[in-house]
Amino acid sequence: EKREIAVPSRTKEILAKHGFTFKKSLGQNFLTEPNILRKIVETAEITDQTNVIEVGPGIGALTEHLAKNARQVLAFEIDDRLIPVLADTLQEYPNVQVVHQDVLAADLLRVTHEVFEDELPIKVVANLPYYITTPIMMHFLESDLPVAEMVVMMQKEVADRISAKPGTKAYGSLSIAVQYYMEAKLAFIVPKTVFVPQPNVDSAILKLTRRVTPAVEVTNEKEFFKLTKAAFQLRRKTLWNNLQNNYGKDEETKKWLQDSLTVAGIDPSRRGETLTLAEFAALSNEMEANKP
Ligand code: SAM
């Protein structure tokens, strides 16, 4: 009986066998604690009725656990040096397909269509490369791929921001961008000691569940997200200040902003971080309806 890939001694052997050296620029911190991997798979509730997309399989530590539980696993890995390693470590899992590609450049709809043989719920499960956590999250959320759930590891600080509630320091346009599509829950914390090499900060597992419909009804999504970004541009400024800075200070624009705020029932002297998704939606919809 072979030891799991994530067992520290086995990981060490694999790295040595292939002469692998870590690339910091690719966010390579590999998990070497099987219990954490089991917890991730449990949190994601993966069964043989689930297809899984993994981002950055590394040497396959998490992939192996996914393969044992899911119907099929599709894993995107950017580092060409890892492709032969994965062919070696995952050879006994025929339900895994590794695609050598930058996930951000991937046509997710097309690749999943090609790889997954059955139409089953798709879950994204990954220990993300931390330098591009947000772009990867947004790539999935904004794609037309029906992702039912995402269970993803990231820096704790980013997980806090994504799951933040209005009125907290961590709440910002990222919280809104993600919570618009998904319900976000911090599942558990992962200490930095379970990785090789060790990152500088602790990590967290975030569980995101797709909402049947977006959290709020907006008439123009693009403008809604533009507004939420504008509202947080300078965090210590009032909403009024940030809106004028972004939309314009001429009389016509000011009147438009003022009227929209009034009808939406929002005090312009508030700070962006105090507004709920519903308030941002109301304001955005008013602005849309009365565009100068
Ligand atoms: N899943 C492994 C584990 O948990 O041990 C490795 C996780 S490591 C934090 C991140 C992985 O993402 C690395 O294997 C890295 O090469 C890969 N990666 C980095 N940027 C990527 C990208 N743009 N597309 C796909 N994979 C990427």
Side-chain angles (χ1 to χ4, degrees):
E1 172 78 3
K2 236 182 189 166
R3 285 158 300 150
E4 293 168 38
I5 298 168
V7 171
S9 62
R10 172 103 193 274
T11 293
K12 223 172 169 181
E13 280 166 29
I14 294 167
L15 297 175
K17 177 178 173 190
H18 294 272
F20 185 81
T21 51
F22 296 99
K23 265 199 193 141
K24 218 178 161 183
S25 62
L26 290 178
Q28 292 177 338
N29 301 95
F30 296 169
L31 263 169
T32 57
E33 170 54 271
N35 287 321
I36 302 272
L37 295 168
R38 267 186 279 281
K39 248 173 107 176
I40 293 174
V41 171
E42 262 170 43
T43 302
E45 297 167 278
I46 291 161
T47 70
D48 60 359
Q49 296 303 306
T50 320
N51 281 327
V52 176
I53 301 178
E54 187 190 6
V55 178
I59 60 170
L62 174 59
T63 324
E64 178 177 49
H65 282 256
L66 296 170
K68 282 180 179 161
N69 292 279
R71 176 75 65 91
Q72 278 184 277
V73 181
L74 159 62
F76 291 96
E77 177 54 63
I78 199 174
D79 189 344
D80 56 321
R81 302 170 308 153
L82 287 169
I83 304 306
V85 181
L86 288 160
D88 178 14
T89 58
L90 298 174
Q91 58 183 316
E92 62 220 78
Y93 303 103
N95 61 338
V96 176
Q97 173 121 10
V98 176
V99 173
H100 177 213
Q101 195 178 16
D102 173 355
V103 71
L104 295 178
D107 180 343
L108 297 170
L109 213 50
R110 191 178 55 74
V111 182
T112 47
H113 205 76
E114 278 168 15
V115 171
F116 293 145
E117 285 160 22
D118 308 278
E119 261 193 51
L120 296 172
I122 296 174
K123 298 190 178 182
V124 175
V125 184
N127 170 14
L128 293 173
Y130 292 174
Y131 72 107
I132 43 169
T133 300
T134 306
I136 292 175
M137 301 283 299
M138 296 321 293
H139 186 51
F140 278 99
L141 295 179
E142 289 169 355
S143 80
D144 292 321
L145 193 70
V147 175
E149 209 163 88
M150 297 179 80
V151 172
V152 279
M153 172 135 65
M154 58 189 69
Q155 291 180 38
K156 183 173 175 302
E157 181 257 333
V158 180
D160 285 338
R161 283 201 279 135
I162 289 177
S163 56
K165 296 268 181 306
T168 64
K169 234 170 117 183
Y171 181 67
S173 56
L174 180 62
S175 329
I176 295 168
V178 176
Q179 290 175 29
Y180 178 74
Y181 302 102
M182 317 285 278
E183 211 175 300
K185 253 202 211 119
L186 210 145
F188 60 96
I189 308 292
V190 180
K192 56 189 174 194
T193 48
V194 299
F195 299 90
V196 283
Q198 266 190 43
N200 296 321
V201 292
D202 285 338
S203 300
I205 300 284
L206 204 59
K207 178 169 177 164
L208 304 166
T209 311
R210 168 82 65 177
R211 300 178 191 278
V212 182
T213 56
V216 287
E217 224 174 284
V218 298
T219 49
N220 184 334
E221 282 185 359
K222 216 175 134 224
E223 289 299 323
F224 170 72
F225 291 123
K226 182 183 159 187
L227 169 65
T228 62
K229 283 211 183 84
F232 289 99
Q233 195 178 38
L234 293 165
R235 293 191 71 103
R236 275 167 307 179
K237 298 271 183 181
T238 62
L239 190 58
W240 182 240
N241 252 302
N242 277 328
L243 291 183
Q244 281 184 84
N245 281 337
N246 279 274
Y247 292 91
K249 292 179 178 160
D250 57 284
E251 287 312 313
E252 193 188 19
T253 303
K254 276 180 17 190
K255 184 171 183 321
W256 168 58
L257 292 171
Q258 182 65 69
D259 290 349
S260 303
L261 283 159
T262 304
V263 179
I266 296 163
D267 181 345
S269 68
R270 285 170 64 184
R271 301 229 172 101
E273 69 213 54
T274 68
L275 268 68
T276 62
L277 264 77
E279 287 178 312
F280 274 119
L283 178 55
S284 176
N285 291 346
E286 269 320 312
M287 287 166 67
E288 271 302 291
N290 306 301
K291 246 189 186 144

